[in-house]
mmCIF file of all heavy atoms in Angstrom:
data_model
loop_
_atom_site.group_PDB
_atom_site.id
_atom_site.type_symbol
_atom_site.label_atom_id
_atom_site.label_comp_id
_atom_site.label_asym_id
_atom_site.label_seq_id
_atom_site.Cartn_x
_atom_site.Cartn_y
_atom_site.Cartn_z
ATOM 1 N N ARG K 52 -12.557 -2.743 7.773
ATOM 2 C CA ARG K 52 -11.664 -3.179 6.698
ATOM 3 C C ARG K 52 -12.366 -4.124 5.739
ATOM 4 O O ARG K 52 -12.069 -4.104 4.551
ATOM 5 C CB ARG K 52 -10.429 -3.941 7.356
ATOM 6 C CG ARG K 52 -9.467 -2.942 7.995
ATOM 7 C CD ARG K 52 -8.348 -3.687 8.775
ATOM 8 N NE ARG K 52 -7.495 -4.435 7.993
ATOM 9 C CZ ARG K 52 -6.453 -4.009 7.303
ATOM 10 N NH1 ARG K 52 -6.149 -2.669 7.436
ATOM 11 N NH2 ARG K 52 -5.676 -4.747 6.610
ATOM 12 N N GLN K 56 -13.249 -3.227 1.706
ATOM 13 C CA GLN K 56 -12.668 -4.195 0.790
ATOM 14 C C GLN K 56 -11.174 -4.484 0.916
ATOM 15 O O GLN K 56 -10.507 -4.878 0.016
ATOM 16 C CB GLN K 56 -12.939 -3.787 -0.701
ATOM 17 C CG GLN K 56 -14.408 -3.700 -1.014
ATOM 18 C CD GLN K 56 -14.586 -3.344 -2.489
ATOM 19 O OE1 GLN K 56 -14.274 -4.144 -3.358
ATOM 20 N NE2 GLN K 56 -15.068 -2.187 -2.780
ATOM 21 N N ARG K 59 -11.050 -9.822 3.095
ATOM 22 C CA ARG K 59 -12.117 -10.637 2.624
ATOM 23 C C ARG K 59 -12.747 -11.342 3.822
ATOM 24 O O ARG K 59 -12.047 -11.824 4.690
ATOM 25 C CB ARG K 59 -11.651 -11.721 1.697
ATOM 26 C CG ARG K 59 -11.239 -11.229 0.334
ATOM 27 C CD ARG K 59 -10.999 -12.422 -0.581
ATOM 28 N NE ARG K 59 -10.299 -11.957 -1.769
ATOM 29 C CZ ARG K 59 -8.949 -11.883 -1.883
ATOM 30 N NH1 ARG K 59 -8.221 -12.266 -0.909
ATOM 31 N NH2 ARG K 59 -8.427 -11.446 -3.029
ATOM 32 N N ARG K 80 -15.636 1.008 -4.888
ATOM 33 C CA ARG K 80 -14.551 1.736 -4.205
ATOM 34 C C ARG K 80 -14.658 3.264 -4.500
ATOM 35 O O ARG K 80 -14.239 4.096 -3.711
ATOM 36 C CB ARG K 80 -13.193 1.293 -4.748
ATOM 37 C CG ARG K 80 -12.727 0.016 -4.051
ATOM 38 C CD ARG K 80 -11.261 -0.291 -4.390
ATOM 39 N NE ARG K 80 -11.010 -1.663 -3.984
ATOM 40 C CZ ARG K 80 -11.001 -2.723 -4.830
ATOM 41 N NH1 ARG K 80 -11.132 -2.512 -6.126
ATOM 42 N NH2 ARG K 80 -10.749 -3.924 -4.376
ATOM 43 N N MET K 91 -2.570 7.238 5.603
ATOM 44 C CA MET K 91 -2.559 6.674 4.237
ATOM 45 C C MET K 91 -2.049 7.733 3.232
ATOM 46 O O MET K 91 -2.530 7.710 2.058
ATOM 47 C CB MET K 91 -3.934 6.148 3.866
ATOM 48 C CG MET K 91 -4.541 5.106 4.771
ATOM 49 S SD MET K 91 -5.985 4.474 4.157
ATOM 50 C CE MET K 91 -6.864 4.101 5.657
ATOM 51 N N VAL K 92 -1.141 8.580 3.617
ATOM 52 C CA VAL K 92 -0.512 9.512 2.697
ATOM 53 C C VAL K 92 0.986 9.392 2.810
ATOM 54 O O VAL K 92 1.473 8.964 3.859
ATOM 55 C CB VAL K 92 -0.952 11.003 2.890
ATOM 56 C CG1 VAL K 92 -2.433 11.208 2.478
ATOM 57 C CG2 VAL K 92 -0.748 11.389 4.352
ATOM 58 N N TYR K 93 1.657 9.714 1.738
ATOM 59 C CA TYR K 93 3.184 9.569 1.712
ATOM 60 C C TYR K 93 3.882 10.746 2.431
ATOM 61 O O TYR K 93 3.704 11.908 1.989
ATOM 62 C CB TYR K 93 3.642 9.418 0.220
ATOM 63 C CG TYR K 93 3.148 8.250 -0.405
ATOM 64 C CD1 TYR K 93 1.932 8.196 -1.107
ATOM 65 C CD2 TYR K 93 3.816 7.042 -0.336
ATOM 66 C CE1 TYR K 93 1.435 7.071 -1.698
ATOM 67 C CE2 TYR K 93 3.350 5.824 -0.909
ATOM 68 C CZ TYR K 93 2.179 5.828 -1.569
ATOM 69 O OH TYR K 93 1.687 4.660 -2.092
ATOM 70 N N SER K 95 6.907 11.738 2.399
ATOM 71 C CA SER K 95 7.956 12.467 1.694
ATOM 72 C C SER K 95 7.319 13.462 0.663
ATOM 73 O O SER K 95 8.030 14.343 0.202
ATOM 74 C CB SER K 95 8.823 11.457 0.939
ATOM 75 O OG SER K 95 9.161 10.537 1.731
ATOM 76 N N GLU K 100 0.788 17.197 -3.557
ATOM 77 C CA GLU K 100 1.268 16.046 -4.427
ATOM 78 C C GLU K 100 0.495 14.796 -4.059
ATOM 79 O O GLU K 100 0.076 14.023 -4.930
ATOM 80 C CB GLU K 100 2.728 15.795 -4.234
ATOM 81 C CG GLU K 100 3.575 16.851 -4.963
ATOM 82 C CD GLU K 100 5.031 16.801 -4.555
ATOM 83 O OE1 GLU K 100 5.394 16.092 -3.552
ATOM 84 O OE2 GLU K 100 5.844 17.411 -5.270
ATOM 85 N N LEU K 108 -5.746 8.606 -9.372
ATOM 86 C CA LEU K 108 -6.135 7.201 -9.268
ATOM 87 C C LEU K 108 -7.666 7.003 -9.183
ATOM 88 O O LEU K 108 -8.164 5.977 -9.598
ATOM 89 C CB LEU K 108 -5.434 6.544 -8.067
ATOM 90 C CG LEU K 108 -3.913 6.442 -8.148
ATOM 91 C CD1 LEU K 108 -3.366 5.760 -6.885
ATOM 92 C CD2 LEU K 108 -3.448 5.687 -9.382
ATOM 93 N N ASP K 110 -9.675 8.919 -10.757
ATOM 94 C CA ASP K 110 -10.224 9.508 -11.988
ATOM 95 C C ASP K 110 -11.151 10.709 -11.679
ATOM 96 O O ASP K 110 -12.174 10.910 -12.298
ATOM 97 C CB ASP K 110 -11.031 8.497 -12.795
ATOM 98 C CG ASP K 110 -10.252 7.285 -13.144
ATOM 99 O OD1 ASP K 110 -9.120 7.456 -13.569
ATOM 100 O OD2 ASP K 110 -10.772 6.138 -12.928
ATOM 101 N N LYS J 2 -6.731 2.797 -18.722
ATOM 102 C CA LYS J 2 -6.563 3.130 -17.349
ATOM 103 C C LYS J 2 -5.384 2.379 -16.653
ATOM 104 O O LYS J 2 -4.671 2.952 -15.852
ATOM 105 C CB LYS J 2 -7.866 2.870 -16.577
ATOM 106 C CG LYS J 2 -7.759 3.251 -15.119
ATOM 107 C CD LYS J 2 -9.124 3.391 -14.439
ATOM 108 C CE LYS J 2 -8.972 3.408 -12.936
ATOM 109 N NZ LYS J 2 -8.080 4.442 -12.414
ATOM 110 N N ARG J 5 -2.140 4.082 -17.565
ATOM 111 C CA ARG J 5 -2.122 5.421 -16.963
ATOM 112 C C ARG J 5 -1.833 5.315 -15.450
ATOM 113 O O ARG J 5 -0.980 5.995 -14.948
ATOM 114 C CB ARG J 5 -3.530 6.022 -17.148
ATOM 115 C CG ARG J 5 -3.462 7.531 -17.444
ATOM 116 C CD ARG J 5 -4.853 7.996 -17.958
ATOM 117 N NE ARG J 5 -5.996 7.454 -17.184
ATOM 118 C CZ ARG J 5 -6.591 8.142 -16.217
ATOM 119 N NH1 ARG J 5 -6.204 9.330 -15.916
ATOM 120 N NH2 ARG J 5 -7.564 7.606 -15.532
ATOM 121 N N ARG J 20 13.049 12.929 -3.478
ATOM 122 C CA ARG J 20 13.042 13.654 -2.233
ATOM 123 C C ARG J 20 13.908 12.968 -1.176
ATOM 124 O O ARG J 20 14.655 13.600 -0.477
ATOM 125 C CB ARG J 20 11.644 13.685 -1.679
ATOM 126 C CG ARG J 20 10.627 14.457 -2.467
ATOM 127 C CD ARG J 20 10.597 15.967 -1.987
ATOM 128 N NE ARG J 20 10.055 16.749 -3.047
ATOM 129 C CZ ARG J 20 8.770 16.808 -3.346
ATOM 130 N NH1 ARG J 20 7.899 16.073 -2.664
ATOM 131 N NH2 ARG J 20 8.328 17.510 -4.395
ATOM 132 N N THR J 21 13.796 11.673 -1.060
ATOM 133 C CA THR J 21 14.436 10.977 0.104
ATOM 134 C C THR J 21 15.806 10.415 -0.231
ATOM 135 O O THR J 21 16.690 10.325 0.638
ATOM 136 C CB THR J 21 13.566 9.797 0.598
ATOM 137 O OG1 THR J 21 13.494 8.802 -0.481
ATOM 138 C CG2 THR J 21 12.156 10.262 0.998
ATOM 139 N N GLU J 77 5.645 1.737 1.389
ATOM 140 C CA GLU J 77 4.230 1.567 1.156
ATOM 141 C C GLU J 77 3.486 1.287 2.409
ATOM 142 O O GLU J 77 2.320 1.574 2.578
ATOM 143 C CB GLU J 77 3.926 0.526 0.135
ATOM 144 C CG GLU J 77 4.386 0.832 -1.280
ATOM 145 C CD GLU J 77 3.741 2.097 -1.909
ATOM 146 O OE1 GLU J 77 2.709 2.560 -1.388
ATOM 147 O OE2 GLU J 77 4.314 2.555 -2.900
ATOM 148 N N ASP J 80 2.630 4.486 7.415
ATOM 149 C CA ASP J 80 1.398 5.282 7.517
ATOM 150 C C ASP J 80 0.212 4.728 6.690
ATOM 151 O O ASP J 80 -0.696 5.403 6.332
ATOM 152 C CB ASP J 80 1.665 6.770 7.081
ATOM 153 C CG ASP J 80 2.533 7.511 8.034
ATOM 154 O OD1 ASP J 80 2.351 7.252 9.236
ATOM 155 O OD2 ASP J 80 3.407 8.215 7.601
ATOM 156 N N CYS J 82 0.102 3.573 3.660
ATOM 157 C CA CYS J 82 -0.034 4.043 2.231
ATOM 158 C C CYS J 82 -0.603 2.941 1.325
ATOM 159 O O CYS J 82 -1.339 3.190 0.437
ATOM 160 C CB CYS J 82 1.278 4.562 1.710
ATOM 161 S SG CYS J 82 1.840 5.982 2.567
ATOM 162 N N GLN J 84 -2.632 0.582 2.027
ATOM 163 C CA GLN J 84 -4.124 0.556 2.244
ATOM 164 C C GLN J 84 -4.716 1.659 1.412
ATOM 165 O O GLN J 84 -5.789 1.431 0.768
ATOM 166 C CB GLN J 84 -4.437 0.800 3.703
ATOM 167 C CG GLN J 84 -4.183 -0.438 4.548
ATOM 168 C CD GLN J 84 -4.631 -0.189 5.997
ATOM 169 O OE1 GLN J 84 -5.516 0.528 6.226
ATOM 170 N NE2 GLN J 84 -3.884 -0.747 6.920
ATOM 171 N N THR J 89 -8.347 2.675 -3.622
ATOM 172 C CA THR J 89 -8.706 3.340 -4.913
ATOM 173 C C THR J 89 -9.214 2.322 -5.947
ATOM 174 O O THR J 89 -8.926 1.115 -5.741
ATOM 175 C CB THR J 89 -7.449 4.051 -5.497
ATOM 176 O OG1 THR J 89 -6.547 3.055 -5.931
ATOM 177 C CG2 THR J 89 -6.776 4.960 -4.519
ATOM 178 N N ARG J 93 -5.184 -3.808 -9.340
ATOM 179 C CA ARG J 93 -4.037 -4.268 -8.586
ATOM 180 C C ARG J 93 -2.894 -4.621 -9.464
ATOM 181 O O ARG J 93 -1.706 -4.548 -9.059
ATOM 182 C CB ARG J 93 -4.436 -5.484 -7.731
ATOM 183 C CG ARG J 93 -5.069 -5.177 -6.384
ATOM 184 C CD ARG J 93 -6.379 -4.454 -6.558
ATOM 185 N NE ARG J 93 -6.966 -4.022 -5.355
ATOM 186 C CZ ARG J 93 -7.352 -2.794 -5.061
ATOM 187 N NH1 ARG J 93 -7.190 -1.802 -5.906
ATOM 188 N NH2 ARG J 93 -7.932 -2.454 -3.922
ATOM 189 N N GLN J 224 -4.349 -8.389 -0.676
ATOM 190 C CA GLN J 224 -5.621 -8.363 0.077
ATOM 191 C C GLN J 224 -5.612 -9.475 1.057
ATOM 192 O O GLN J 224 -5.368 -10.598 0.747
ATOM 193 C CB GLN J 224 -6.817 -8.507 -0.847
ATOM 194 C CG GLN J 224 -8.104 -8.159 -0.167
ATOM 195 C CD GLN J 224 -9.318 -8.090 -1.117
ATOM 196 O OE1 GLN J 224 -9.215 -8.394 -2.286
ATOM 197 N NE2 GLN J 224 -10.466 -7.726 -0.575
ATOM 198 N N GLU J 225 -5.956 -9.140 2.335
ATOM 199 C CA GLU J 225 -5.941 -10.205 3.388
ATOM 200 C C GLU J 225 -7.155 -11.117 3.336
ATOM 201 O O GLU J 225 -8.197 -10.660 2.914
ATOM 202 C CB GLU J 225 -5.947 -9.534 4.780
ATOM 203 C CG GLU J 225 -4.631 -8.822 5.111
ATOM 204 C CD GLU J 225 -4.748 -7.907 6.298
ATOM 205 O OE1 GLU J 225 -5.346 -8.369 7.302
ATOM 206 O OE2 GLU J 225 -4.180 -6.800 6.328
#
Side-chain angles (χ1 to χ4, degrees):
Chain K
R52 287 171 66 83
Q56 303 183 66
R59 287 190 194 90
R80 281 191 194 101
M91 303 184 211
V92 288
Y93 293 90
S95 317
E100 285 168 347
L108 293 181
D110 303 315
Chain J
K2 182 162 166 56
R5 218 166 46 96
R20 294 270 158 74
T21 63
E77 294 296 347
D80 292 320
C82 293
Q84 285 182 32
T89 69
R93 276 65 185 125
Q224 192 173 6
E225 289 170 40

